[in-house]
Structure formats: structure tokens, C-alpha cells
Amino acid sequence: MDRRTFLTYNAVAAAIPLSGAALAGLADAASAAVRPMPIDFKSNLPAAGSFPSKWNCGSPSCMDNTDPPVQVHWYNPHTAILRQNKAYSYEAPFAPLYFGNDRVLLLDEGFVQLRNDWDLRGVVDQCIEDWCRRNGRDAASLELLVAFSHLHVDHFAATNQFADRPNTRYMGLTHEEMVGFWGMTNFPEERVTLDLGGRDILIWGSPGHTVSEFAYYDSYTQILYSGDMFYRGRCYITFWELWFDSMTRLIQFCDTHPVAHIMGCHVEISKDNQDYAYGMTYQPDEAPVQMTVDDLRHAYEVAKTITKPGIYFTGKVYLCNQTRATTTIDRNPYRYG
């Protein structure tokens, strides 16, 4: 099966042909089993959900931190959001986990490699087990797709934890593999649809922070996941023209699709819009991860006025146009020239 085919692949259609006797036995077994009805991911949209009032955000002493390595928050019964503990990594990335009738999609795997450092795979497997128990499903029947928004290590480091996991596909670590994983032939403009089994995820290119980068829209919750190209904090923009074009595509998408929330992969700013310095492992009063379409539109209007490298504050995010990667905001932000 090629990578494009699995986007619309139906596990039932791929069953190995059986003999007549085997089919009869299978029919008898099926009649004795109670098959749960497929979950409806198409009606009453957007699906209601909630973010926590406060995420685990580290502690003054990382050594004394007692929170788990990753926080699991169920946005709704079919959507989980994972967030790595700041005490385990200052990056503290978020990782959405979307459930469909046939597949589960994990986006962005956090800044950890070894399972004995902390076991992301174990956390994801437990989420899948919990969901299957609530919905009368068999965890072994669900395919797990392990993908990420872009090629920075804090987003793909834990991918190797899933390498030997059964019924799992994971994204490769080159631009060609990333684009090919979604079956794209015209990156970044092409928009493809991933069918999780009645739940559609729309995917397209959003380069600028890096060259190999994607935006993801969940049609069920109507959450637009923007990764690192737009989030509450320091949006490090490596390629301004590419990033501006990606922002234009996000705006055009919001013009034609309902968006309940925009969610980035980090939070680096407080509720009163003060910057948390690069490398902080404790953010006691951090802003919420979710943003609005109005926040995106306002940042886009600010971006239209930017003509040279520097740091520009939109009121919710810092646009760090071609600045040093470890720039910390202050009253006299670093600028080229």
C-alpha cells in the first residue's frame, strides 16, 4: 500500500480472501459479537470541548517537581491534548491526539527520546486503551499515525518510541518523506484530507518557521493546529516570504471554514502578555494555548507593515522576523543592522 492510498484506506476492504468454510465460521463469530455503531463525527459541529484553566507549567525547582512528565487533558471524549511538563523540557510542546473509527492521529511527539526517560508511547497507548474501553472498541484494530508539524527535534524526538509498535505508521525525517506521508504532490498549496474513519483532518503546507511544515484542521472540533508558525509566544520566522504566504493561506482558510480555536505547539507568554525568557522551566502565570481567528487576523495585519528583520509584538504573539533563534524579548529587542 502506498502512502496516498492509506489516507482513504478501509481495513475491511483489505481483508485477506477466505475460503467458504472460513467465511461461514467468521459469519458465525460475527453474529455472536456485538459490534458498536460507528461514532458520528459529522453532525452537531463543532464538537463541544474545553481546555483546562491551567496547564502543568513546571516548578521553581525541576529536581523537586512532582507533576507527571506529560499532562493528558481530554478536550472532549474523542480528543485528547498532551502537554510535556516544563520541568522535563523548557520547550513543553503540546501534542493533539485525534480519534476516529479506524485510526488515531498523534501530532508532535515532544522533546524526549528514550522510554526510560519518560514513556510517551505508554501514555499514548493508555489514552487509546481508555478510549476503546469507553467506546467498546479493540485497541488492536486501530491504526496509529505518528506525525508532526515540522522538522525540529522537540516535535519528533519521541518518534523512535513507536518504531516497533504494531499497526503504526510514522512520518519520516526528510522533507520528501513528510510530504509523501500525506500523499502531497504540490507542497505547500495542495490541501489533502486524512480520513480517520468518519473524522476528516485537512492538511496543507505552512512553511516559514522551517521549510518542511504543515497546518492541520480537525473538522470535528474545528480546531486549527498551527504548530510553531503561529502560537502564543515567540514565533521564530526563518523565511519571511514563505511565512507570510503561509499566513495568507491560513487567513483564506478561515474565510471559508469555521474555526473554533487556533492552537499552536507552545506557550511562551504570560496572561498579561509578558515574555517568558528562552529556556524557562517554570511559567506560573502562562497564557492559554488556544487563540482566536481575530488574533490571527490582527497578527496578519501587523505582518503587512513589517519590511525588515526585527521583533514585532501583535498584542498576543511576538513575530521574530529573522532574529537569533534564542532571542529573549526586552524593551530594546535585537534587530539586524
Side-chain angles (χ1 to χ4, degrees):
M1 183 187 305
D2 61 33
R3 284 166 170 152
R4 179 178 286 273
T5 304
F6 88 81
L7 290 171
T8 54
Y9 173 68
N10 186 316
V12 175
I16 299 172
L18 300 173
S19 67
L23 284 171
L26 184 61
D28 292 339
S31 64
V34 177
R35 296 183 181 276
M37 291 293 293
I39 297 165
D40 180 9
F41 292 106
K42 303 289 189 181
S43 304
N44 301 316
L45 304 180
S50 64
F51 292 89
S53 58
K54 184 179 179 65
W55 294 93
N56 291 348
C57 53
S59 58
S61 169
C62 292
M63 184 174 62
D64 298 326
N65 184 271
T66 58
D67 293 324
V70 62
Q71 178 180 356
V72 177
H73 172 75
W74 287 93
Y75 175 84
N76 63 29
H78 307 299
T79 308
I81 301 174
L82 282 54
R83 200 269 177 100
Q84 187 170 355
N85 190 335
K86 288 285 289 186
Y88 284 74
S89 168
Y90 64 86
E91 296 284 6
F94 291 83
L97 190 62
Y98 299 130
F99 289 81
N101 287 299
D102 301 321
R103 299 177 188 84
V104 185
L105 174 64
L106 173 66
L107 290 176
D108 287 334
E109 285 71 62
F111 208 178
V112 64
Q113 288 186 313
L114 303 178
R115 295 185 71 180
N116 58 1
D117 285 339
W118 68 268
D119 188 6
L120 175 67
R121 174 173 160 181
V123 172
V124 171
D125 283 344
Q126 186 61 57
C127 289
I128 294 174
E129 290 285 349
D130 291 345
W131 184 86
C132 287
R133 185 172 57 254
R134 293 197 305 266
N135 294 279
R137 305 300 174 97
D138 177 10
S141 70
L142 289 177
E143 183 179 44
L144 175 63
L145 305 179
V146 179
F148 36 86
S149 58
H150 65 285
L151 275 178
H152 276 161
V153 69
D154 54 312
H155 298 259
F156 67 76
T159 301
N160 67 299
Q161 291 192 13
F162 300 87
D164 61 346
R165 186 185 185 278
N167 206 16
T168 301
R169 300 174 187 269
Y170 53 94
M171 184 178 276
L173 298 181
T174 68
H175 176 79
E176 290 74 20
E177 288 175 310
M178 293 176 71
V179 171
F181 191 75
W182 299 130
M184 290 182 180
T185 57
N186 183 28
F187 178 90
E189 290 83 6
E190 182 183 6
R191 186 187 304 157
V192 299
T193 301
L194 167 65
D195 180 9
L196 296 178
R199 182 176 186 170
D200 292 338
I201 309 294
L202 307 185
I203 308 164
W204 66 94
S206 60
H209 175 64
T210 64
V211 171
S212 307
E213 195 164 5
F214 300 94
Y216 298 87
Y217 174 78
D218 173 32
S219 60
Y220 179 60
T221 61
Q222 297 180 358
I223 293 176
L224 174 57
Y225 183 67
S226 52
D228 273 14
M229 67 89 58
F230 185 75
Y231 66 92
R232 284 188 185 268
R234 299 180 297 275
C235 296
Y236 293 118
I237 304 167
T238 307
F239 308 99
W240 177 260
E241 291 80 9
L242 290 179
W243 180 87
F244 188 85
D245 290 345
S246 294
M247 282 289 284
T248 301
R249 279 190 293 275
L250 288 184
I251 292 293
Q252 292 171 343
F253 183 86
C254 292
D255 287 341
T256 56
H257 294 77
V259 175
H261 304 284
I262 296 173
M263 177 182 167
C265 196
H266 304 282
V267 173
E268 298 166 346
I269 196 170
S270 68
K271 290 179 180 177
D272 60 354
N273 297 323
Q274 298 300 307
D275 172 63
Y276 285 113
Y278 184 88
M280 293 289 288
T281 56
Y282 182 43
Q283 298 181 170
D285 193 37
E286 66 182 9
V289 65
Q290 68 270 24
M291 304 181 73
T292 68
V293 173
D294 285 343
D295 294 332
L296 180 73
R297 293 188 190 281
H298 179 66
Y300 185 60
E301 292 304 314
V302 172
K304 289 178 180 179
T305 70
I306 296 175
T307 59
K308 59 183 179 180
I311 299 172
Y312 304 86
F313 186 50
T314 72
K316 291 289 180 68
V317 303
Y318 291 95
L319 303 181
C320 301
N321 177 18
Q322 303 169 81
T323 62
R324 292 188 179 118
T326 57
T327 298
T328 295
I329 313 304
D330 57 27
R331 294 187 178 181
N332 299 291
Y334 172 84
R335 295 172 183 264
Y336 285 122

mmCIF file of all heavy atoms in Angstrom, residues 145-170:
data_model
loop_
_atom_site.group_PDB
_atom_site.id
_atom_site.type_symbol
_atom_site.label_atom_id
_atom_site.label_comp_id
_atom_site.label_asym_id
_atom_site.label_seq_id
_atom_site.Cartn_x
_atom_site.Cartn_y
_atom_site.Cartn_z
ATOM 1 N N LEU A 145 -1.306 6.783 13.627
ATOM 2 C CA LEU A 145 -0.465 7.584 12.741
ATOM 3 C C LEU A 145 0.328 8.563 13.591
ATOM 4 O O LEU A 145 -0.254 9.368 14.322
ATOM 5 C CB LEU A 145 -1.317 8.331 11.721
ATOM 6 C CG LEU A 145 -2.261 7.477 10.871
ATOM 7 C CD1 LEU A 145 -3.063 8.356 9.927
ATOM 8 C CD2 LEU A 145 -1.477 6.434 10.091
ATOM 9 N N VAL A 146 1.641 8.476 13.515
ATOM 10 C CA VAL A 146 2.536 9.320 14.301
ATOM 11 C C VAL A 146 3.155 10.344 13.360
ATOM 12 O O VAL A 146 3.980 10.002 12.506
ATOM 13 C CB VAL A 146 3.625 8.477 14.996
ATOM 14 C CG1 VAL A 146 4.568 9.360 15.804
ATOM 15 C CG2 VAL A 146 2.987 7.428 15.901
ATOM 16 N N ALA A 147 2.733 11.587 13.494
ATOM 17 C CA ALA A 147 3.186 12.646 12.580
ATOM 18 C C ALA A 147 3.573 13.877 13.389
ATOM 19 O O ALA A 147 3.441 13.907 14.613
ATOM 20 C CB ALA A 147 2.093 12.976 11.568
ATOM 21 N N PHE A 148 4.035 14.896 12.710
ATOM 22 C CA PHE A 148 4.432 16.117 13.410
ATOM 23 C C PHE A 148 4.262 17.312 12.492
ATOM 24 O O PHE A 148 4.048 17.169 11.279
ATOM 25 C CB PHE A 148 5.861 16.027 13.953
ATOM 26 C CG PHE A 148 6.819 15.262 13.074
ATOM 27 C CD1 PHE A 148 7.501 15.879 12.042
ATOM 28 C CD2 PHE A 148 7.022 13.904 13.277
ATOM 29 C CE1 PHE A 148 8.380 15.186 11.241
ATOM 30 C CE2 PHE A 148 7.897 13.185 12.473
ATOM 31 C CZ PHE A 148 8.582 13.829 11.457
ATOM 32 N N SER A 149 4.344 18.498 13.085
ATOM 33 C CA SER A 149 4.090 19.717 12.323
ATOM 34 C C SER A 149 5.301 20.154 11.511
ATOM 35 O O SER A 149 5.143 20.704 10.414
ATOM 36 C CB SER A 149 3.653 20.848 13.254
ATOM 37 O OG SER A 149 4.642 21.089 14.251
ATOM 38 N N HIS A 150 6.521 19.895 12.028
ATOM 39 C CA HIS A 150 7.703 20.342 11.297
ATOM 40 C C HIS A 150 8.948 19.650 11.827
ATOM 41 O O HIS A 150 8.915 18.963 12.865
ATOM 42 C CB HIS A 150 7.845 21.866 11.360
ATOM 43 C CG HIS A 150 8.101 22.408 12.739
ATOM 44 N ND1 HIS A 150 7.118 22.483 13.690
ATOM 45 C CD2 HIS A 150 9.229 22.894 13.318
ATOM 46 C CE1 HIS A 150 7.622 23.010 14.804
ATOM 47 N NE2 HIS A 150 8.894 23.253 14.598
ATOM 48 N N LEU A 151 10.046 19.863 11.127
ATOM 49 C CA LEU A 151 11.291 19.154 11.411
ATOM 50 C C LEU A 151 12.164 19.899 12.423
ATOM 51 O O LEU A 151 13.272 20.338 12.101
ATOM 52 C CB LEU A 151 12.067 18.919 10.106
ATOM 53 C CG LEU A 151 11.697 17.680 9.304
ATOM 54 C CD1 LEU A 151 12.505 17.612 8.015
ATOM 55 C CD2 LEU A 151 11.911 16.420 10.125
ATOM 56 N N HIS A 152 11.697 20.036 13.650
ATOM 57 C CA HIS A 152 12.526 20.444 14.776
ATOM 58 C C HIS A 152 12.435 19.362 15.831
ATOM 59 O O HIS A 152 11.370 18.776 16.050
ATOM 60 C CB HIS A 152 12.093 21.804 15.344
ATOM 61 C CG HIS A 152 12.674 22.960 14.596
ATOM 62 N ND1 HIS A 152 12.150 24.235 14.661
ATOM 63 C CD2 HIS A 152 13.743 23.052 13.753
ATOM 64 C CE1 HIS A 152 12.860 25.057 13.908
ATOM 65 N NE2 HIS A 152 13.833 24.365 13.342
ATOM 66 N N VAL A 153 13.545 19.102 16.498
ATOM 67 C CA VAL A 153 13.657 17.901 17.319
ATOM 68 C C VAL A 153 12.645 17.841 18.460
ATOM 69 O O VAL A 153 12.223 16.755 18.869
ATOM 70 C CB VAL A 153 15.101 17.761 17.857
ATOM 71 C CG1 VAL A 153 15.411 18.851 18.873
ATOM 72 C CG2 VAL A 153 15.333 16.368 18.438
ATOM 73 N N ASP A 154 12.213 19.001 18.969
ATOM 74 C CA ASP A 154 11.236 18.968 20.066
ATOM 75 C C ASP A 154 9.856 18.530 19.581
ATOM 76 O O ASP A 154 8.933 18.384 20.388
ATOM 77 C CB ASP A 154 11.143 20.324 20.765
ATOM 78 C CG ASP A 154 10.868 21.481 19.827
ATOM 79 O OD1 ASP A 154 11.553 21.578 18.796
ATOM 80 O OD2 ASP A 154 9.980 22.294 20.126
ATOM 81 N N HIS A 155 9.724 18.296 18.273
ATOM 82 C CA HIS A 155 8.450 17.840 17.707
ATOM 83 C C HIS A 155 8.497 16.399 17.216
ATOM 84 O O HIS A 155 7.441 15.799 17.011
ATOM 85 C CB HIS A 155 8.016 18.765 16.574
ATOM 86 C CG HIS A 155 7.790 20.167 17.021
ATOM 87 N ND1 HIS A 155 6.536 20.683 17.259
ATOM 88 C CD2 HIS A 155 8.663 21.168 17.314
ATOM 89 C CE1 HIS A 155 6.642 21.941 17.670
ATOM 90 N NE2 HIS A 155 7.927 22.249 17.710
ATOM 91 N N PHE A 156 9.697 15.852 17.024
ATOM 92 C CA PHE A 156 9.758 14.479 16.500
ATOM 93 C C PHE A 156 10.666 13.557 17.318
ATOM 94 O O PHE A 156 10.793 12.375 17.004
ATOM 95 C CB PHE A 156 10.217 14.468 15.043
ATOM 96 C CG PHE A 156 11.645 14.908 14.804
ATOM 97 C CD1 PHE A 156 12.717 14.076 15.091
ATOM 98 C CD2 PHE A 156 11.918 16.162 14.274
ATOM 99 C CE1 PHE A 156 14.022 14.478 14.861
ATOM 100 C CE2 PHE A 156 13.234 16.571 14.042
ATOM 101 C CZ PHE A 156 14.283 15.720 14.338
ATOM 102 N N ALA A 157 11.278 14.036 18.386
ATOM 103 C CA ALA A 157 12.290 13.250 19.093
ATOM 104 C C ALA A 157 11.772 11.896 19.554
ATOM 105 O O ALA A 157 12.503 10.899 19.542
ATOM 106 C CB ALA A 157 12.833 14.039 20.289
ATOM 107 N N ALA A 158 10.517 11.832 19.969
ATOM 108 C CA ALA A 158 9.979 10.585 20.523
ATOM 109 C C ALA A 158 9.423 9.641 19.465
ATOM 110 O O ALA A 158 8.892 8.582 19.818
ATOM 111 C CB ALA A 158 8.890 10.896 21.549
ATOM 112 N N THR A 159 9.551 10.000 18.198
ATOM 113 C CA THR A 159 9.009 9.132 17.145
ATOM 114 C C THR A 159 9.577 7.726 17.239
ATOM 115 O O THR A 159 8.880 6.734 17.010
ATOM 116 C CB THR A 159 9.318 9.730 15.763
ATOM 117 O OG1 THR A 159 8.749 11.044 15.670
ATOM 118 C CG2 THR A 159 8.743 8.877 14.652
ATOM 119 N N ASN A 160 10.872 7.625 17.608
ATOM 120 C CA ASN A 160 11.502 6.307 17.672
ATOM 121 C C ASN A 160 10.858 5.393 18.717
ATOM 122 O O ASN A 160 10.982 4.168 18.628
ATOM 123 C CB ASN A 160 12.996 6.443 17.967
ATOM 124 C CG ASN A 160 13.258 6.992 19.360
ATOM 125 O OD1 ASN A 160 12.851 8.098 19.665
ATOM 126 N ND2 ASN A 160 13.932 6.230 20.200
ATOM 127 N N GLN A 161 10.154 5.969 19.707
ATOM 128 C CA GLN A 161 9.489 5.124 20.694
ATOM 129 C C GLN A 161 8.393 4.255 20.064
ATOM 130 O O GLN A 161 7.988 3.244 20.646
ATOM 131 C CB GLN A 161 8.873 5.991 21.803
ATOM 132 C CG GLN A 161 9.889 6.682 22.701
ATOM 133 C CD GLN A 161 9.246 7.277 23.948
ATOM 134 O OE1 GLN A 161 8.093 6.992 24.271
ATOM 135 N NE2 GLN A 161 9.997 8.123 24.647
ATOM 136 N N PHE A 162 7.926 4.656 18.892
ATOM 137 C CA PHE A 162 6.824 3.946 18.234
ATOM 138 C C PHE A 162 7.303 3.032 17.113
ATOM 139 O O PHE A 162 6.496 2.427 16.411
ATOM 140 C CB PHE A 162 5.819 4.952 17.677
ATOM 141 C CG PHE A 162 5.210 5.845 18.721
ATOM 142 C CD1 PHE A 162 5.833 7.026 19.107
ATOM 143 C CD2 PHE A 162 4.010 5.505 19.330
ATOM 144 C CE1 PHE A 162 5.271 7.847 20.077
ATOM 145 C CE2 PHE A 162 3.437 6.316 20.297
ATOM 146 C CZ PHE A 162 4.076 7.487 20.670
ATOM 147 N N ALA A 163 8.626 2.916 16.932
ATOM 148 C CA ALA A 163 9.171 2.227 15.765
ATOM 149 C C ALA A 163 8.736 0.770 15.688
ATOM 150 O O ALA A 163 8.504 0.240 14.591
ATOM 151 C CB ALA A 163 10.692 2.328 15.762
ATOM 152 N N ASP A 164 8.623 0.084 16.829
ATOM 153 C CA ASP A 164 8.248 -1.321 16.811
ATOM 154 C C ASP A 164 6.813 -1.537 17.279
ATOM 155 O O ASP A 164 6.420 -2.670 17.578
ATOM 156 C CB ASP A 164 9.205 -2.142 17.687
ATOM 157 C CG ASP A 164 9.178 -1.709 19.148
ATOM 158 O OD1 ASP A 164 8.624 -0.622 19.440
ATOM 159 O OD2 ASP A 164 9.721 -2.446 20.002
ATOM 160 N N ARG A 165 6.026 -0.470 17.307
ATOM 161 C CA ARG A 165 4.636 -0.610 17.754
ATOM 162 C C ARG A 165 3.793 -1.197 16.622
ATOM 163 O O ARG A 165 3.835 -0.693 15.493
ATOM 164 C CB ARG A 165 4.066 0.739 18.187
ATOM 165 C CG ARG A 165 2.674 0.651 18.798
ATOM 166 C CD ARG A 165 2.124 2.045 19.091
ATOM 167 N NE ARG A 165 0.846 1.974 19.789
ATOM 168 C CZ ARG A 165 -0.335 1.787 19.194
ATOM 169 N NH1 ARG A 165 -0.373 1.628 17.873
ATOM 170 N NH2 ARG A 165 -1.446 1.733 19.895
ATOM 171 N N PRO A 166 2.998 -2.240 16.881
ATOM 172 C CA PRO A 166 2.163 -2.828 15.829
ATOM 173 C C PRO A 166 1.123 -1.835 15.311
ATOM 174 O O PRO A 166 0.682 -0.939 16.029
ATOM 175 C CB PRO A 166 1.479 -4.008 16.541
ATOM 176 C CG PRO A 166 2.327 -4.298 17.741
ATOM 177 C CD PRO A 166 2.889 -2.971 18.156
ATOM 178 N N ASN A 167 0.733 -2.026 14.052
ATOM 179 C CA ASN A 167 -0.343 -1.248 13.431
ATOM 180 C C ASN A 167 -0.105 0.256 13.555
ATOM 181 O O ASN A 167 -1.004 1.020 13.908
ATOM 182 C CB ASN A 167 -1.698 -1.627 14.057
ATOM 183 C CG ASN A 167 -2.860 -1.391 13.102
ATOM 184 O OD1 ASN A 167 -2.661 -1.224 11.902
ATOM 185 N ND2 ASN A 167 -4.063 -1.355 13.633
ATOM 186 N N THR A 168 1.133 0.653 13.288
ATOM 187 C CA THR A 168 1.537 2.056 13.458
ATOM 188 C C THR A 168 2.312 2.512 12.226
ATOM 189 O O THR A 168 3.150 1.782 11.704
ATOM 190 C CB THR A 168 2.416 2.217 14.709
ATOM 191 O OG1 THR A 168 1.692 1.783 15.850
ATOM 192 C CG2 THR A 168 2.843 3.665 14.895
ATOM 193 N N ARG A 169 2.004 3.703 11.758
ATOM 194 C CA ARG A 169 2.788 4.344 10.697
ATOM 195 C C ARG A 169 3.360 5.635 11.256
ATOM 196 O O ARG A 169 2.669 6.371 11.962
ATOM 197 C CB ARG A 169 1.920 4.666 9.477
ATOM 198 C CG ARG A 169 1.256 3.456 8.825
ATOM 199 C CD ARG A 169 0.308 3.916 7.719
ATOM 200 N NE ARG A 169 -0.469 2.811 7.191
ATOM 201 C CZ ARG A 169 -0.080 2.069 6.154
ATOM 202 N NH1 ARG A 169 1.057 2.339 5.554
ATOM 203 N NH2 ARG A 169 -0.831 1.073 5.730
ATOM 204 N N TYR A 170 4.606 5.937 10.927
ATOM 205 C CA TYR A 170 5.182 7.175 11.427
ATOM 206 C C TYR A 170 5.920 7.912 10.321
ATOM 207 O O TYR A 170 6.482 7.327 9.415
ATOM 208 C CB TYR A 170 6.094 6.923 12.634
ATOM 209 C CG TYR A 170 7.174 5.882 12.444
ATOM 210 C CD1 TYR A 170 8.449 6.251 12.050
ATOM 211 C CD2 TYR A 170 6.907 4.540 12.683
ATOM 212 C CE1 TYR A 170 9.444 5.310 11.892
ATOM 213 C CE2 TYR A 170 7.890 3.584 12.525
ATOM 214 C CZ TYR A 170 9.169 3.977 12.136
ATOM 215 O OH TYR A 170 10.142 3.031 11.960
#
